Amino acid sequence: MAPPYIILFLLLSLLSLSLSISHTAFGLSSDTITLPLSPILTKLPYSDPFKLAASASLARAHHLKHHRNSPSVATTAVYPKGYGGYSVDLSFGTPPQTSPFILDTGSSLVWFPCTSRYVCSHCLFPNIDPTKIRTFIPKNSSTAKIVGCRNPKCAYIFGTKVQSRCSKCKPQSQNCSLTCPPYILQYGLGSTAGFLLLDNLNFPQNIVPQFLVGCSILSIRQPSGIAGFGRGKESLPSQMALKRFSYCLVSHRFDDLLQTSDLILQITSNGGTKTKGLSYTPFRQNPFSNNSAFQEYYYVILRKLIVGGDSVQIPFKFLQPASDGSGGTIVDSGSTFTFMERPVYNLVAQHFLKHMKNYSRALHVEAQTGLSPCFNLSGVKTVNFPEFTFQFKGGAKMTLPIQNYFSLVGDAEVVCLTVISDGGLGPVQTSGPAIILGNYQQQNFYIEYDLENGRFGFGPRNCRTKA
Ligand SMILES: *[C@@H]1O[C@H](CO)[C@@H](O)[C@H](O)[C@H]1NC(C)=O
Ligand SMILES: *[C@@H]1O[C@H](CO)[C@@H](O)[C@H](O)[C@H]1NC(C)=O
Ligand SMILES: *[C@@H]1O[C@H](CO)[C@@H](O)[C@H](O)[C@H]1NC(C)=O
Ligand SMILES: *[C@@H]1O[C@H](CO)[C@@H](O)[C@H](O)[C@H]1NC(C)=O
Ligand SMILES: *[C@@H]1O[C@H](CO)[C@@H](O)[C@H](O)[C@H]1NC(C)=O
């Protein structure tokens, strides 16, 4: 990872940002903010988008599981989601400049490609021209300012390390001019780096002043910005003190149709009111991680997985997060396919094989895509797919539509289970969440993160029709 750092510091030394400093304080004036959410276009240079989505989901899972707070860099859990993510437009600055962001509940910083010198390396996807990536120009915003070392928001990212990183700022000097150190976010195959800004985040009826946002000047394999919706202090929900947020993910089948659905940010409390048609399960605050990066994840307590009426006998250690940070289930909008640790996955797959033993396996498709099991349904008139249900603490049951766990792959006669695990031969993952509920399994559900009441709500909904 050395080259990006070197380039970063070269760029930092070349850049001279002249930012005006001004203070504007606007209040939030409406109760909810509704934004269109769209699946990301999928025209990628891969003959098999499923293979890409499967390996991307796996790399994402590895990263989420090995996530650590590092002393010198701020790390977050992101993965290039050229395929299988959902994007939202946000406007920063005065006058507003709009950029697309990937909605990511598995990380917390909000950052955008930034400055006229932005460099995106290895971003040559056929539908993305790196020279046409929309970048935020801080100079053009009268409200943008660089975060100082003494600003408490600098510590959102660097935590207690900020003292040593900003050691040249004497405690007595009231107006230390040092800026907050640059951030470097690392992820599966790439990274992004830049410096922290404060600027207005604009919505049609509201302005959030002095929102902490990352101004990335260099990214690798990550062509668009990311909106971190995790539990960290720097996330969008934390900075806006949202009471709830919710989304409905339109099916990935419509990825190419520019179909959008709503992302709803709820600013004011509506007490303990439940949303009609939703089932709820409490979020679990993980007790093990005072200082752990796992704290930014949304843990829920999975009680059972049910396949075709059979309860899968999952060992308790996978369902319950342990004090060392292993086990448990998180909800992640930034993962495509749901990940299960190998022993859990094997049990689930066995149940599917039992219920679908009348159909022939398509082993070569499994080898090609990395998905398993796959079945060849050629010549089969009616298929009986077993039901697949996630049952959470409190009894809330998420029974998935068939399209959320079996997908047609390639020629329209093979279907594969869209749940992934780590390779049978690779090292066994023992840290981090055992199950990561990805966005493929959340399609056509209305999903609510009720932060005020500490609970996760969901209910089936056709996300193509507005509620
Ligand atoms: C920034 O301002 C310059 C000069 O006024 C203008 O040419 C440029 O288009 C602006 N860029 C953006 C992204 O607004
Ligand atoms: C802040 O810095 C300016 C110049 O940079 C100086 O004139 C002023 O006295 C300083 N104020 C305090 C409170 O240290
Ligand atoms: C968390 O805090 C408790 C008590 O404050 C301490 O005993 C424990 O070692 C801490 N755990 C970690 C992972 O820092
Ligand atoms: C498999 O096929 C047999 C014979 O057609 C049928 O009786 C049985 O119910 C089928 N099993 C499943 C799991 O669909
Ligand atoms: C599925 O089975 C049919 C008939 O057995 C065969 O002709 C076809 O090649 C198979 N397709 C795949 C993708 O395996």
Side-chain angles (χ1 to χ4, degrees), residues 172-175:
Q172 301 83 3
S173 72
Q174 290 301 300
N175 55 2

Side-chain angles (χ1 to χ4, degrees), residues 287-292 323-324:
F288 48 82
S289 50
N290 320 337
N291 193 20
S292 156
S323 59
D324 64 358

